[in-house]
Amino acid sequence: ISITAADNATKLTSGQTLKFSAVKTPQRNTESGVTWSVDNTSAAKISSGGVLTALNVTEKTTVIVTVRDDAHSYPAASYEVAIIPKASKVVLSKGGTVVTGQTLSLNVDETIDLTAGITPSDAAQDVTWKSGNSSIASVENGHVTGLSVGKTDITATSADGTRVTGKVTISVCRMVKALQINGNDAMTAGQKMKLSVRCAPDSATNKAVTWTCDDPSRAVVDRNGTVSAVKTAKAGSFNITATAADGSGVAATKKITITQKAETLKLYNYNHNKNSRLISNGQKIGYDYDASELNNVHPSVNLKVEALADNAMDGVSQTFTWKSSAPAVAEVAGSENLCECFIDVHKTGTAVISATTTDGSNLTTSCTICVKSQITDITITGQDEIGVKKSTVLTAVVSPDSAAA
């Protein structure tokens, strides 16, 4: 007599059944019956028809199924089957880290690999994978691909019939690829400064960043990128880092130097050859222009300010805010927060141009730009004749009226 199992199976999960068949030789002995038995009735039971039912077990247990011919004393036939426990949990991992129930960020066209482990470890480890929305993210054997912006669940289901599941949420987005921190490179003790950050690409889904400072003895930074230098901070430098909050790991760092506050300012007027002359605070500077220049060319005036301090071993901040009292006459055309300024002249008149420190010292220096038209004609009026030892008064009239006297 011999014994066979359906599909030649050698494993059976708790709760499942397996049909056995007995084959007698020679065939003339088929009229007698057979008796089925199993050696471990706590792990499995078998019916008189040869159907083995796996009972609940907590670990892999091997049982031996035996069949005997009732009419003859032929040797019995046996078959070994492993009874394995049901799946009770599906645990998903990424790179060896458990991520079941978590939300994972994934860039469009990016891929990640998930693995599924069944608890207990003796249970069958086969699972089926499924995406809740395959237009957002697809999955094949745990290989996940981000396809379009959105969220969807990736689910692994045990294949042993228990249908126990484990899942993660995939958030597909356009991740940040680069960051750039904008702001001044220097500040003084006790000063505050707001930094901004630019993300690339502009289409990034989540542009939020987290801010950190590597030297809290000199400065701290809040969640909005406002840097506060410690009032007692010594001269030196520290680094501010912005890290993308989308999980991309992209970061940018800006070095900022603690400088001494300005104590005095010097204002210069210079030309394109960088030849400069010192201007006293409040000094008037006159400029004569042909009317056609003012109407068409808009000539410019170049100013530069320098901040100084005694014993400033580590430098003084050289950033300033420039302002014109009459932009219609003379307009600040260059960028603010620079030590150099370009003034565009538009028409005759006067305008006070001022430069104010941004280091907290609140020092200001200024000059007055006086714009006049060039003299195009002079007419002298008065008597044409004068007697001996007589006097007369002559008057000179310049044109145009707005020209310098």
Side-chain angles (χ1 to χ4, degrees):
I1 190 170
S2 61
I3 185 172
T4 60
D7 298 324
N8 296 317
T10 58
K11 292 182 179 179
L12 194 61
T13 299
S14 295
Q16 293 182 340
T17 60
L18 179 63
K19 180 68 171 69
F20 285 91
S21 300
V23 179
K24 294 182 179 181
T25 54
Q27 294 297 321
R28 62 180 179 275
N29 296 324
T30 57
E31 66 274 8
S32 60
V34 296
T35 299
W36 296 92
S37 64
V38 60
D39 69 336
N40 188 341
T41 55
S42 64
K45 63 180 180 179
I46 193 166
S47 68
S48 60
V51 177
L52 182 71
T53 301
L55 304 179
N56 287 331
V57 293
T58 58
E59 60 183 2
K60 179 179 178 181
T61 303
T62 300
V63 299
I64 297 176
V65 174
T66 302
V67 62
R68 289 182 173 82
D69 191 324
D70 292 340
H72 303 278
S73 59
Y74 298 138
S78 61
Y79 196 102
E80 190 174 280
V81 179
I83 307 299
I84 56 178
K86 294 180 180 179
S88 61
K89 182 188 295 186
V90 177
V91 179
L92 301 184
S93 300
K94 172 178 172 280
T97 301
V98 175
V99 294
T100 309
Q102 296 182 16
T103 297
L104 304 179
S105 295
L106 190 62
N107 204 3
V108 174
D109 297 328
E110 187 182 5
T111 63
I112 58 173
D113 289 305
L114 300 175
T115 57
I118 303 292
T119 301
S121 59
D122 286 341
Q125 298 296 308
D126 296 328
V127 298
T128 56
W129 294 90
K130 183 179 180 181
S131 170
N133 188 334
S134 57
S135 67
I136 294 176
S138 64
V139 61
E140 183 176 357
N141 296 326
H143 187 71
V144 182
T145 302
L147 300 176
S148 63
V149 174
K151 286 186 177 182
T152 188
D153 290 336
I154 298 296
T155 305
T157 303
S158 60
D160 65 357
T162 58
R163 299 196 62 77
V164 178
T165 62
K167 71 177 181 179
V168 296
T169 298
I170 299 296
S171 177
V172 182
C173 57
R174 296 193 183 279
M175 290 189 177
V176 173
K177 293 184 177 180
L179 294 173
Q180 177 182 309
I181 301 175
N182 301 313
N184 293 337
D185 296 327
M187 60 192 308
T188 57
Q191 186 183 8
K192 287 188 176 182
M193 176 176 63
K194 180 73 168 66
L195 299 177
S196 63
V197 65
R198 182 177 180 181
C199 300
D202 289 336
S203 60
T205 305
N206 182 2
K207 296 183 179 181
V209 298
T210 56
W211 296 91
T212 55
C213 176
D214 70 346
D215 190 350
S217 69
R218 286 195 168 93
V220 294
V221 60
D222 67 13
R223 58 186 296 181
N224 298 313
T226 298
V227 181
S228 300
V230 177
K231 291 182 178 180
T232 57
K234 296 181 180 180
S237 61
F238 58 90
N239 294 310
I240 296 294
T241 299
T243 303
D246 62 1
S248 62
V250 174
T253 298
K254 184 177 185 65
K255 182 179 180 180
I256 298 175
T257 301
I258 297 288
T259 61
Q260 186 173 333
K261 287 185 179 180
E263 296 176 358
T264 58
L265 300 179
K266 288 185 177 182
L267 183 62
Y268 298 90
N269 180 205
Y270 73 98
N271 57 30
H272 295 294
N273 295 323
K274 301 299 182 180
N275 295 320
S276 60
R277 64 186 179 91
L278 182 64
I279 304 171
S280 300
N281 186 27
Q283 181 178 338
K284 290 185 178 181
I285 308 174
Y287 292 92
D288 299 340
Y289 293 103
D290 183 270
S292 63
E293 290 186 89
L294 295 178
N295 292 331
N296 302 312
V297 179
H298 297 309
S300 64
V301 177
N302 302 326
L303 299 176
K304 179 178 181 179
V305 66
E306 181 182 12
L308 303 172
D310 293 336
N311 301 317
M313 300 300 294
D314 292 282
V316 180
S317 174
Q318 299 293 327
T319 58
F320 304 87
T321 299
W322 293 86
K323 184 178 180 181
S324 171
S325 65
V329 175
E331 178 186 15
V332 175
S335 300
E336 293 186 354
N337 297 330
L338 297 175
C339 64
E340 297 182 4
C341 179
F342 303 97
I343 311 297
D344 279 350
V345 177
H346 296 293
K347 66 179 184 178
T348 58
T350 60
V352 177
I353 307 297
S354 61
T356 303
T357 57
T358 61
D359 63 2
S361 60
N362 295 320
L363 297 181
T364 299
T365 186
S366 65
C367 67
T368 300
I369 303 293
C370 302
V371 183
K372 297 182 180 181
S373 298
Q374 288 180 341
I375 297 173
T376 59
D377 185 46
I378 300 176
T379 302
I380 300 175
T381 61
Q383 295 179 349
D384 296 332
E385 296 180 358
I386 185 171
V388 177
K389 295 185 179 181
K390 299 293 183 178
S391 64
T392 187
V393 177
L394 301 176
T395 303
V397 180
V398 299
S399 296
D401 292 340
S402 59

